[in-house]
């Protein structure tokens, strides 16, 4: 007769296998739809295909490393995220005296995303560590990464990183995962809903003025262009990486009009903005404009798959929930910035999810 513990373990094993199959299907559908929407057009699906590959490769690497070194893999991922945030190819604007807020064309979005993922990785390592001294050290490193997010001048990134740290501390007292993961999903969806509301001017007047002031008129213009493109091409979108060719705001910026950006002190400086990159700086809006509503549904499915994998993960509940908090914070950052435009961020998200879903050997 099978004991209740073994029976529960067997169910969890089957669910974990289902999550793996679901991930393959979802990532495959994302890649296939990118090729479908690019067929017969002057579109460039390479970027999206690279992002899908990065998520898959990061997830597989995390599963392997997490099985071999449950604590070391998470700690190493956190340290790597901090190094890339400060010394990676997108950290050129983080030199003291030249720090920029997450402006319309800035690069601080990738910094905020990497530091947020690093906090999640350090917290996962803390919950996985059996030695109290190691656990305390990992939490100190997580707090240090939160402080780094504040010092490099990304207030949104600081809020996201701090939120992940607090959620991780709360996760220690939670035994049932579904309600917690559902709350994280709703929070990420709410941020995405705000971006769509701002782009369509459907928020209250007072809130509209405050949001426009913080986001800058340039970014709001990009979001409105994305909505207009989505309405014109609702099914197949305009094609991957074609937003810059169809957006009037992006074209005007490219011809010499410098977009306004917030500095670390919170003041506007149009002449200090980074060069434009031709993206709407919102992953949901970009996917909707370039790949239509089915593409947006696939993006949501990819996020849902990661949370489903964490739900069925054989790792301890605090580890899974901490990773879920980090991925939800990343989704919120991607809804209002360009975080997912960088391969190191998409690979890092897959790596953290893989570590949190790894099955320990033996």
């Amino acid at each position: 007769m099978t004991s209740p513990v073994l029976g529960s373990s067997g169910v969890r094993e089957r669910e974990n296998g289902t999550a793996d199959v679901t991930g393959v299907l979802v990532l495959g559908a994302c890649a296939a739809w990118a090729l479908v929407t690019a067929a017969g057009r002057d579109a460039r699906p390479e970027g999206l295909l690279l992002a899908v590959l990065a998520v898959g490769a990061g997830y597989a690497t995390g599963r392997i490393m997490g099985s071999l070194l449950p604590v070391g893999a998470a700690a190493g991922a956190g340290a790597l995220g901090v190094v890339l945030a400060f010394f990676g190819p997108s950290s050129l604007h983080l030199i003291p005296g030249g720090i920029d807020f997450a402006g319309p064309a800035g690069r601080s979005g990738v910094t905020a995303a990497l530091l947020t993922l690093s906090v999640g990785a350090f917290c996962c390592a803390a919950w996985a560590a059996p030695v109290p001294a190691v656990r305390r050290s990992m939490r100190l490193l997580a707090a240090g990464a939160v402080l780094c997010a504040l010092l490099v001048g990304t207030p949104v990134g600081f809020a996201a990183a701090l939120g992940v740290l607090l959620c991780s501390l709360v996760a220690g007292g939670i035994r049932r995962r579904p309600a917690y993961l559902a709350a994280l999903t709703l929070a990420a969806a709410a941020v995405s809903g705000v971006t769509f509301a701002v782009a369509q001017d459907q928020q209250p007047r007072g809130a509209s003025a405050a949001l426009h002031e913080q986001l800058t008129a340039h970014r709001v213009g990009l979001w409105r262009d994305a909505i207009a493109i989505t309405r014109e091409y609702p099914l197949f979108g305009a094609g991957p990486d074609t937003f810059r060719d169809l957006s009037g705001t992006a074209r005007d910026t490219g011809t010499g009009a410098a977009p306004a950006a917030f500095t670390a002190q919170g003041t506007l400086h149009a002449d200090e903005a980074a060069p434009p990159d031709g993206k709407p700086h919102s992953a949901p809006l970009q996917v909707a404009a370039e790949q239509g509503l089915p593409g947006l549904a696939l993006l949501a499915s990819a996020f849902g798959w990661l949370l489903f994998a964490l739900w069925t993960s054989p790792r301890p509940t605090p580890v899974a929930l901490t990773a879920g908090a980090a991925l939800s914070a990343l989704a919120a950052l991607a809804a209002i910035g360009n975080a997912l435009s960088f391969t190191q961020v998409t690979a890092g998200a897959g790596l953290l999810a893989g570590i949190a879903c790894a099955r320990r050997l033996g």
Side-chain angles (χ1 to χ4, degrees), residues 30-78:
C30 290
W33 186 251
L35 295 176
V36 168
T37 56
R41 299 174 170 181
D42 186 18
R44 298 166 290 275
E46 296 84 1
L48 182 63
L49 295 177
L50 180 60
V52 172
L53 178 61
V55 172
Y59 183 79
T61 303
R63 288 288 293 268
I64 296 171
M65 296 302 296
S67 297
L68 299 175
L69 300 169
V71 180

Side-chain angles (χ1 to χ4, degrees), residues 243-265:
F243 178 81
R244 72 186 68 195
D245 302 323
L246 299 176
S247 169
T249 305
R251 287 198 305 269
D252 292 342
T253 303
T255 57
F262 276 95
T263 64
Q265 291 74 27

Side-chain angles (χ1 to χ4, degrees), residues 15 114 166 169 212-213 326 349 358:
E15 290 178 343
L114 288 173
L166 295 177
L169 296 177
H212 284 214
E213 181 181 354

Side-chain angles (χ1 to χ4, degrees), residues 267-345:
T267 55
L268 280 167
H269 292 282
D271 56 342
E272 293 181 5
D277 58 5
K279 299 183 183 298
H281 289 254
S282 174
L285 288 172
Q286 180 174 355
V287 170
E290 296 181 348
Q291 299 182 66
L293 297 180
L296 181 61
L298 287 173
L299 177 64
S301 299
F303 176 65
W305 159 63
L306 290 175
L307 294 187
F308 176 62
L310 293 173
W311 178 25
T312 62
S313 169
R315 299 296 300 276
T317 294
V319 174
L321 297 185
T322 296
L327 294 175
S328 298
L330 175 61
L333 291 173
I336 59 175
N338 62 341
L340 295 188
S341 298
F342 298 88
T343 305
Q344 57 265 46
V345 175

Side-chain angles (χ1 to χ4, degrees), residues 141-222:
L141 289 175
V146 173
L147 182 61
C148 289
L150 175 63
L151 294 178
V152 298
T154 55
V156 175
F158 167 70
L162 180 61
V164 172
L165 179 59
L166 295 177
C167 287
S168 177
L169 296 177
V170 173
I174 297 176
R175 295 294 176 265
R176 299 183 62 85
R177 305 182 186 185
Y180 186 95
L181 293 175
L184 293 175
T185 302
L186 290 176
V191 177
S192 298
V194 169
T195 62
F196 279 88
V198 171
Q200 301 180 75
D201 277 334
Q202 292 182 353
Q203 70 278 17
R205 181 174 301 178
S208 176
L211 288 171
H212 284 214
E213 181 181 354
Q214 293 297 322
L215 293 168
T216 76
H218 176 81
R219 183 174 303 208
V220 174
L222 292 173

